[in-house]
Amino acid sequence: MNCDLNSQGSIFYVDSNNTVTVEGSRLQAKDAIASYNYGTLHFVNGDYTSDDNDLVSYNYGKLLIDDGYFNIYDAVVDYNYDTLIVKNGTFIADYFVYTDYGGYVNMQDGDYQLDDNLIYYLYVENGRNSNVLINNGTFKIESAAFDENYGGNIHIENGNFTYSSYFFEDNYKDDESGIAPSITVDNGTFLSSNGNTSDFIYSNY
């Protein structure tokens, strides 16, 4: 699909049997670009704007982003239950993911400019904990990078990160499953915008 479209509502609802590939398009929506994704939604280049909402509000399937420019009012993904893989792209939003329920998030590269958190809330869902893998990228985050992690696995291989507040804030064992959060950092550059190098992990229970 390649088009230029301005919508007063959402543009996509992808059911479980469908694969939608959006390539080189210019899409602008008053609401979320995609309200629900149960199948596979694939963005390849293009320019995407949500004036008052998300790129994808509910992701129950596979969301794949190869590249593109995304200017999103709220979250790139509001509620993630399955798979989100980003190869590259420029993302301007409040949140990258607002609430991950046992999903898988992989950021291979990209430029992320976030007014709030990279990921806010990571939960265990049906015995499956959230898994986040960051291979690389440039991140400017105006709050904590990760906030409210209940039993999630976070693995950072590399990247350049500027953040305010703390990098990892409020990490807890999941009460129901007993799964504890896991944080692994292999490499990367981390700069607290308030100049306090001790503000890396806060509240690890």
Side-chain angles (χ1 to χ4, degrees):
M1 172 182 174
N2 184 308
C3 67
D4 189 329
L5 179 64
N6 191 320
S7 172
Q8 291 300 306
S10 293
I11 297 174
F12 297 109
Y13 179 108
V14 183
D15 70 26
S16 58
N17 298 315
N18 285 348
T19 296
V20 175
T21 299
V22 187
E23 185 169 0
S25 295
R26 183 183 178 277
L27 303 181
Q28 183 171 358
K30 184 75 172 174
D31 208 333
I33 299 290
S35 55
Y36 289 85
N37 175 39
Y38 290 93
T40 299
L41 180 57
H42 188 188
F43 291 96
V44 184
N45 296 315
D47 190 319
Y48 307 93
T49 300
S50 173
D51 293 329
D52 289 317
N53 212 302
D54 315 305
L55 178 67
V56 178
S57 288
Y58 294 88
N59 182 43
Y60 291 94
K62 292 180 173 59
L63 175 59
L64 311 174
I65 300 175
D66 283 3
D67 208 343
Y69 181 85
F70 301 85
N71 190 353
I72 306 300
Y73 176 81
D74 194 4
V76 174
V77 177
D78 210 339
Y79 298 97
N80 184 54
Y81 291 84
D82 204 320
T83 302
L84 166 59
I85 298 176
V86 177
K87 290 185 177 179
N88 210 338
T90 297
F91 302 88
I92 300 171
D94 275 357
Y95 303 89
F96 186 68
V97 175
Y98 184 94
T99 312
D100 186 273
Y101 289 98
Y104 173 69
V105 178
N106 177 209
M107 287 164 271
Q108 298 174 11
D109 211 341
D111 185 0
Y112 303 81
Q113 302 171 44
L114 305 170
D115 287 338
D116 218 302
N117 308 115
L118 181 59
I119 300 182
Y120 183 62
Y121 283 120
L122 296 93
Y123 286 116
V124 175
E125 180 77 1
N126 297 324
R128 184 181 66 182
N129 57 340
S130 299
N131 282 274
V132 179
L133 173 62
I134 299 177
N135 304 112
N136 211 343
T138 300
F139 301 82
K140 184 179 180 183
I141 305 160
E142 298 296 338
S143 187
F146 297 92
D147 196 1
E148 304 291 339
N149 176 14
Y150 293 83
N153 291 329
I154 301 170
H155 185 181
I156 298 175
E157 292 184 341
N158 210 343
N160 295 291
F161 301 87
T162 302
Y163 61 97
S164 180
S165 184
Y166 303 91
F167 195 80
F168 299 104
E169 184 170 2
D170 295 335
N171 304 277
Y172 305 96
K173 181 186 292 185
D174 178 68
D175 287 338
E176 185 174 336
S177 67
I179 296 175
S182 173
I183 296 170
T184 303
V185 178
D186 296 334
N187 208 344
T189 301
F190 301 86
L191 177 64
S192 173
S193 60
N194 64 15
N196 190 343
T197 57
S198 67
D199 291 349
F200 198 66
I201 297 178
Y202 177 79
S203 298
N204 198 37
Y205 299 101

